[in-house]
Amino acid sequence: MAHLHPHPHSRERDPECLHCQALDRAREAGLRRTRALEEVLRLLISASQPLTLANITEAQVLADKADRATIYRLLTKLERLGIIRRLGLHDRSAYYVYHVPGEHNDYLICTQCGQIRRLDLDCPAEELEKQISKDNGYSCLYHELSFYGVCPVCAAA
Amino acid sequence: MAHLHPHPHSRERDPECLHCQALDRAREAGLRRTRALEEVLRLLISASQPLTLANITEAQVLADKADRATIYRLLTKLERLGIIRRLGLHDRSAYYVYHVPGEHNDYLICTQCGQIRRLDLDCPAEELEKQISKDNGYSCLYHELSFYGVCPVCAAA
DNA sequence: ATACATGCAAACATTTTGCTTTGGC
DNA sequence: GCCAAAGCAAAATGTTTGCATGTAT
């Protein structure tokens, strides 16, 4: 999953590389190849958990080099294009994940400390999607399944 | 579901009445019987969809009679007590629903207009909860399943 | 050369807190 | 009377926009 881009800033294309794929999708949609685009995609692709706008803006590679507003607008575009996905995880802020076409992740969140872990499970909602789509006439359906509870560490304290 | 309290402001107790049950739970937890408590519970119980803090504060019965901060603190307490539940539905603001012990609801949200509809389905995540709880050592587990898509109206436009 | 992307600053929306007063028990 | 709850006002947090400038194409 956390497939790192093997050739930063180069123009070579490795069709297996998630980062290249993402970049291609973005370019095809008309986005320009900017530093912010590259870094945002790289960060999201290599992250093992959802990231907030603040997380991204403050990341080493971007700190003091990228503006909140720029990243915000970029994330918004990428979401609209379906390249990334925005999650509502009870926090005040929005979380973003890279969206691998056809893949899906669920999360387990501690209601005390806010820790987020990705769950690796056969999501049972997958099948329901078609049915719900048909029943309600909705298109472009996707879903979000999150589990909330108290993690062992917080339970001890 | 939307069981209305049949005897507002009275002290009679109908053990079948959701509103009475909720009130009892709150009182047992030490909350005082205030106007805000009664109205907030009534609103949430009779609502057919999740409500925001703003929704509640601006409701007829409470408008100009209740302060945002008061309702906010009350909602926070009720959530901590497990009497209501807070949902993260992608909107900027938090949504609240009354939590009937043992019951669970899933939602279908239009990503364009934000409309929220409650889904009536056999939630397949119910079973996963125990497993996840065991696997990860989390306690007090619950989950939230939401479907996002474009509703027919927005699709037409 | 022409858009699109950026940066900076300011506006917004919503949540959260401090402190004094009110009112349930 | 005591302590929780209410009310008011202000702070904090995170998102969103306007506009002038820079830059990829």
Side-chain angles (χ1 to χ4, degrees):
Chain A
M1 212 300 170
H3 179 154
L4 283 173
H5 185 51
H7 34 75
H9 300 296
S10 93
R11 268 151 206 266
E12 301 167 45
R13 291 296 159 69
D14 172 356
E16 292 293 302
C17 169
L18 277 182
H19 187 251
C20 290
Q21 286 174 23
L23 221 37
D24 283 345
R25 290 174 68 192
R27 308 283 340 272
E28 272 159 34
L31 299 204
R32 292 180 176 176
R33 184 184 187 119
T34 66
R35 175 194 188 79
L37 175 64
E38 293 221 16
E39 294 302 344
V40 165
L41 289 178
R42 190 204 314 290
L43 281 167
L44 285 173
I45 287 171
S46 61
S48 59
Q49 56 160 251
L51 301 177
T52 64
L53 171 60
N55 287 337
I56 296 172
T57 305
E58 288 154 14
Q60 276 292 319
V61 278
L62 286 175
D64 299 322
K65 290 169 207 144
D67 191 78
R68 239 198 334 272
T70 301
I71 306 299
Y72 169 77
R73 284 188 271 233
L74 184 50
L75 289 170
T76 305
K77 274 178 217 154
L78 290 172
E79 192 205 351
R80 209 154 29 217
L81 295 172
I83 296 173
I84 67 175
R85 202 151 264 184
R86 184 167 60 102
L87 309 179
L89 295 180
H90 272 203
D91 208 315
R92 270 277 284 287
S93 51
Y95 283 81
Y96 296 88
V97 291
Y98 178 62
H99 176 234
V100 183
E103 277 192 24
H104 173 75
N105 280 292
D106 305 307
Y107 300 91
L108 175 56
I109 297 115
C110 175
T111 50
Q112 308 286 300
C113 66
Q115 194 203 59
I116 302 168
R117 8 178 15 154
R118 199 173 66 224
L119 290 171
D120 206 2
L121 44 84
D122 249 355
C123 181
E126 223 71 51
E127 322 213 336
L128 280 172
E129 254 178 45
K130 295 178 198 64
Q131 190 57 44
I132 289 169
S133 174
K134 184 173 289 181
D135 289 352
N136 300 276
Y138 277 52
S139 45
C140 303
L141 222 66
Y142 70 94
H143 68 274
E144 211 177 308
L145 172 58
S146 308
F147 294 84
Y148 294 90
V150 181
C151 77
V153 178
C154 288
Chain B
M1 211 306 170
H3 180 152
L4 282 175
H5 184 51
H7 33 77
H9 301 296
S10 92
R11 274 158 199 262
E12 299 166 46
R13 292 296 161 71
D14 172 356
E16 293 294 303
C17 168
L18 276 184
H19 188 252
C20 291
Q21 285 174 23
L23 221 38
D24 283 345
R25 290 174 67 193
R27 309 284 338 273
E28 274 159 33
L31 298 205
R32 290 177 178 178
R33 185 180 185 121
T34 66
R35 175 193 186 78
L37 175 64
E38 292 221 16
E39 293 303 346
V40 165
L41 288 177
R42 190 202 314 289
L43 281 167
L44 285 174
I45 287 171
S46 61
S48 60
Q49 57 159 253
L51 302 177
T52 64
L53 171 60
N55 288 336
I56 296 173
T57 305
E58 288 153 15
Q60 276 292 317
V61 278
L62 286 175
D64 298 322
K65 290 169 206 141
D67 190 79
R68 241 199 329 276
T70 300
I71 306 298
Y72 170 77
R73 283 188 269 235
L74 184 51
L75 289 170
T76 305
K77 274 178 215 153
L78 290 171
E79 192 205 350
R80 209 153 31 215
L81 294 172
I83 295 172
I84 66 175
R85 203 152 263 182
R86 184 169 58 104
L87 309 179
L89 296 180
H90 272 203
D91 207 318
R92 271 278 282 288
S93 51
Y95 284 81
Y96 296 89
V97 292
Y98 178 62
H99 175 233
V100 183
E103 277 193 21
H104 173 76
N105 279 293
D106 304 306
Y107 300 91
L108 174 57
I109 297 115
C110 176
T111 49
Q112 309 286 298
C113 66
Q115 193 203 61
I116 301 168
R117 17 185 359 160
R118 199 173 65 221
L119 290 172
D120 208 0
L121 45 84
D122 250 355
C123 180
E126 223 72 51
E127 323 213 334
L128 279 172
E129 254 178 45
K130 295 178 199 65
Q131 190 57 43
I132 289 168
S133 174
K134 185 173 289 182
D135 288 353
N136 300 276
Y138 277 52
S139 45
C140 304
L141 222 66
Y142 70 94
H143 69 274
E144 210 176 308
L145 171 59
S146 307
F147 295 83
Y148 294 89
V150 181
C151 77
V153 178
C154 288

